[in-house]
């Protein structure tokens, strides 16, 4: 992913066809060690293709991916999930009480 991100940054910056040297330069500037095999594979896959077309094609594929939450199939699973969620909520409430307590600060918000 980091190689693709560097490639896209270069394209966005005006370099229509970034080279391996360009990508390596960006990645090394932020302390990332470059694996030549991955970089070569990326450049081979993108060779001769328009990045804007690839992004548009990817967007159409992502549009068909469901992004809603998971649904629970059976009643037993639903009650188990609800019980687990209730436990998590109670635990979070206890943590928030500890965090929001004014005891350790020596004064209240409206004093």
């Amino acid at each position: 992913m980091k190689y693709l991100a560097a490639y896209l940054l270069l394209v966005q910056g005006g370099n229509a066809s970034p080279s391996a040297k360009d990508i390596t330069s960006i990645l090394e500037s932020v302390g990332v060690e470059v694996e030549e095999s991955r970089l070569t594979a990326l450049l081979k896959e993108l060779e001769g293709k328009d990045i804007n077309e690839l992004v548009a094609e990817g967007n159409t594929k992502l549009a068909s991916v469901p992004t809603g939450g998971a649904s629970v199939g059976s009643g037993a699973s639903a009650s188990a999930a609800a019980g687990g969620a209730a436990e998590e909520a109670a635990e979070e409430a206890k943590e928030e009480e500890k965090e929001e307590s004014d005891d350790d600060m020596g004064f209240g918000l409206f004093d």
Side-chain angles (χ1 to χ4, degrees), residues 17-64:
S17 59
S19 68
K21 183 179 177 182
D22 296 332
I23 296 170
T24 301
S25 164
I26 284 186
L27 292 174
E28 287 178 347
S29 73
V30 293
V32 175
E33 189 175 320
V34 177
E35 294 179 39
E36 292 298 323
S37 61
R38 288 185 174 200
L39 180 56
T40 304
L42 172 72
L43 291 175
K44 185 177 178 183
E45 288 292 322
L46 295 175
E47 187 176 333
K49 297 179 182 176
D50 179 30
I51 195 68
N52 295 319
E53 290 176 10
L54 292 174
V55 170
E57 181 182 334
N59 281 337
T60 59
K61 288 180 181 179
L62 283 176
S64 66

